[in-house]
Amino acid sequence: MSTRASQPVLLVEDTRSLAMMYENVLKNAGHAVECAYLAAEGKALHKGASGRLVLLDLMLPDGDGLDLLSEMREADPTGKVIVITANGSINRAVDAMRGGAFDFLVKPFDERRLLSAVDNALLEIAKSGRARRAKPKLEVGGFHGFIGDSPGMREVYHLISEIGRSTATVFITGESGAGKEVAAQALHAESGRADGPFIALNCGAIPRDLLESEVFGHLRGSFTGAIADKPGAAAAADGGTLFLDEICEMDLALQTKLLRFLQTSTVTPVGATTPRKVDARIICATNRNPVEEVRAGRFREDLFYRLHVVPIHLPPLRERGEDVIVAAESFLRRYSADEGKRFTRVSPELAEIMRNLQWPGNMRQLQNVMWNIVLLHDGEEATPDMLPPGLAEPMKAPQPQAQRNGAIATDGAAPPIGVSARVEPLVGATMAEVEREFIEATIAAHDGSVPKAARVLDLSPSTIYRKRESWAKE
């Protein structure tokens, strides 16, 4: 059911044929519309507005749409602006989102996409009736599943709150275990799609020859083993959010199909000839540096710019101050309740050690450490002697990350904990030999468990299995 505006939607579009088409779609859906064909006309009609929705073409003959956006946002902070841009100017849409636009539409777009963006914006205007809150509401110790209240995380919470209602794609970066899926779920919960499905797909955990079917679905008999029709993750996320984790693991051929899906909002299952419309918000994540992946030719540049509209970087645990203690005690109490133990806090001595650890596995590693303590010990207070062996040994500090939200992440993780310190010098060995030695040492340090080693190494288990198969043939 569409939300109605309290005043006409202001449409600023210089191509009159397009303006007429958009106006008809909006009026047929019950919206009143006021049209302007020049920046000056749009500015005049917007003057004195409060809580107004604007559809703004960024390419206007008498002014820059980004400048007009800035003026409108300053004049009417409670209003929302949806920008319209051509497919070849996606970088302008990115700039617009960072400049305060609520959402963006890339020409050509269909009626469903237009009305969805308009309804979401009007719902947000109606919901607040005033300026958007400057700070997000924190739950006890965190926000939508996150734990901690450090300045870096407050910035993340604020950003998620600001862009949650938008349908723009979001690109989440951060080290392994930093909480990228938690961030994606928080964005979904803050969105107008919260009642719809949240579908998560790890692109690195699925064999490449099956990934297309997992994303877009397949028809029965389209390939060996396809014994029934399968809708795929994109179709399953219709009306909700599709989260593609480890997006940089997707091969180039499938990246091309993903780009087409983003441009057309249609999917074609493997073996099908007719596409179907899908309305899903895309959120993706990686623990790699996506810019380096583009430079290396492993990730399509046009897809990167199409996905990298709103970037969110999650700071590593070692840069989050007291969050490590808050989270440790939260996990300690939770696991103690599950296991019938008495733990309620960490000792001051243990807290000091934990503040100085590098935590290359971030929150995931901290969870495992606290679970280990609860399983093997008991008492009201966790102490340093309860730490898993080798955890508190000095480690090489990672390279600093000069990273803020809105920039590109770099991966400066320290060597994984648990890998034996007795690695002999490998000078003279080939890179392939060094890689094999390191992977096998990590597997051995985790009692032969490939999945555990894969988590530490930021690889998918299938990647390690394939490498070991190739090594066995040498």
Side-chain angles (χ1 to χ4, degrees):
M1 183 176 178
S2 296
T3 302
R4 298 289 175 264
S6 60
Q7 52 191 313
V9 175
L10 176 55
L11 172 61
V12 186
E13 166 64 70
D14 66 306
T15 304
R16 291 180 181 259
S17 59
L18 290 177
M20 184 180 298
M21 181 173 66
Y22 304 154
E23 182 181 10
N24 287 337
V25 170
L26 292 170
K27 285 185 174 179
N28 288 338
H31 300 290
V33 183
E34 197 168 28
C35 292
Y37 306 104
L38 297 172
E41 293 175 356
K43 190 184 303 184
L45 290 172
H46 187 264
K47 187 176 181 180
S50 177
R52 191 169 196 187
L53 174 60
V54 181
L55 285 167
L56 173 63
D57 187 4
L58 291 180
M59 301 297 290
L60 297 169
D62 65 330
D64 189 323
L66 290 177
D67 292 337
L68 185 54
L69 166 67
S70 178
E71 292 180 29
M72 288 179 167
R73 292 289 297 139
E74 184 175 354
D76 181 18
T78 63
K80 301 297 176 187
V81 180
I82 299 171
V83 298
I84 302 172
T85 187
N87 187 45
S89 304
I90 190 67
N91 57 320
R92 302 255 305 159
V94 174
D95 291 338
M97 292 298 296
R98 292 172 182 168
F102 177 77
D103 203 347
F104 74 98
L105 300 169
V106 179
K107 300 176 183 176
F109 49 85
D110 61 21
E111 176 179 326
R112 186 178 179 183
R113 177 72 178 91
L114 171 61
L115 294 177
S116 175
V118 167
D119 284 350
N120 285 335
L122 291 175
L123 183 63
E124 185 65 13
I125 292 172
K127 173 187 170 185
S128 61
R130 58 187 182 275
R132 180 94 171 157
R133 61 186 181 271
K135 294 181 180 180
K137 180 181 178 181
L138 288 175
E139 300 163 3
V140 178
F143 171 79
H144 282 302
F146 282 107
I147 301 174
D149 193 20
S150 61
M153 291 309 295
R154 273 194 170 270
E155 183 180 350
V156 170
Y157 304 155
H158 177 73
L159 190 54
I160 289 174
S161 295
E162 284 294 308
I163 65 175
R165 285 283 169 184
S166 168
T167 56
T169 54
V170 180
F171 204 124
I172 305 170
T173 54
E175 295 178 8
S176 178
K180 294 186 286 294
E181 184 165 348
V182 177
Q185 290 173 329
L187 284 162
H188 177 71
E190 285 281 311
S191 75
R193 300 164 176 264
D195 292 334
F198 175 85
I199 305 297
L201 193 68
N202 188 324
C203 300
I206 301 169
R208 296 196 172 201
D209 55 345
L210 295 179
L211 188 55
E212 180 180 359
S213 170
E214 290 295 322
V215 176
F216 299 121
H218 64 253
L219 298 185
R220 177 182 178 183
S222 56
F223 56 85
T224 302
I227 59 175
D229 290 354
K230 181 175 182 178
D238 193 16
T241 302
L242 174 61
F243 174 53
L244 297 174
D245 200 3
E246 293 191 41
I247 187 71
C248 288
E249 298 295 327
M250 185 177 287
D251 66 30
L252 290 169
L254 190 52
Q255 288 176 32
T256 302
K257 295 181 180 181
L258 178 60
L259 179 62
R260 179 168 178 76
F261 168 50
L262 291 168
Q263 292 171 336
T264 65
S265 297
T266 63
V267 297
T268 304
V270 177
T273 57
T274 305
R276 62 161 291 187
K277 285 286 184 182
V278 171
D279 175 26
R281 184 187 192 177
I282 305 298
I283 300 174
C284 61
T286 183
N287 55 17
R288 298 190 184 188
N289 183 334
V291 171
E292 290 301 321
E293 295 299 300
V294 170
R295 288 174 181 162
R298 292 187 292 265
F299 201 80
R300 288 181 61 112
E301 185 174 16
D302 50 1
L303 177 60
F304 168 72
Y305 285 114
R306 187 62 180 77
L307 290 170
H308 201 262
V309 175
V310 182
I312 294 179
H313 177 68
L314 299 178
L317 185 57
R318 60 183 170 275
E319 296 178 6
R320 291 176 53 181
E322 287 302 298
D323 282 0
V324 65
I325 309 304
V326 173
E329 293 189 331
S330 175
F331 296 142
L332 191 67
R333 290 189 291 268
R334 182 193 307 173
Y335 298 143
S336 292
D338 291 344
E339 300 294 334
K341 300 294 181 74
R342 296 176 293 145
F343 287 112
T344 60
R345 62 187 180 276
V346 300
S347 71
E349 297 80 12
L350 178 55
E352 185 61 25
I353 291 173
M354 297 180 82
R355 290 187 189 99
N356 294 310
L357 291 174
Q358 294 301 320
W359 300 110
N362 294 287
M363 277 293 183
R364 187 182 299 127
Q365 181 188 7
L366 178 60
Q367 282 183 286
N368 290 339
V369 167
M370 302 318 293
W371 198 3
N372 181 281
I373 287 175
V374 170
L375 289 175
L376 300 181
H377 306 276
D378 198 5
E380 293 185 355
E381 191 173 71
T383 55
D385 59 295
M386 298 178 181
L387 286 175
L391 182 66
E393 293 177 1
M395 297 175 60
K396 179 181 178 182
Q399 297 296 317
Q401 291 191 5
Q403 168 66 50
R404 295 184 62 82
N405 283 305
I408 302 299
T410 57
D411 191 352
I417 286 177
V419 178
S420 174
R422 56 175 179 75
V423 178
E424 296 98 2
L426 293 171
V427 176
T430 66
M431 184 58 70
E433 291 169 338
V434 172
E435 178 191 54
R436 178 174 180 174
E437 178 76 16
F438 192 69
I439 289 176
E440 291 293 359
T442 307
I443 294 171
H446 289 82
D447 301 320
S449 172
V450 170
K452 289 181 180 178
R455 284 195 295 271
V456 171
L457 293 169
D458 294 339
L459 296 173
S460 67
S462 60
T463 297
I464 295 180
Y465 286 128
R466 285 197 300 271
K467 287 180 180 292
R468 297 187 93 185
E469 285 178 8
S470 66
W471 294 336
K473 296 175 183 177
E474 293 177 359

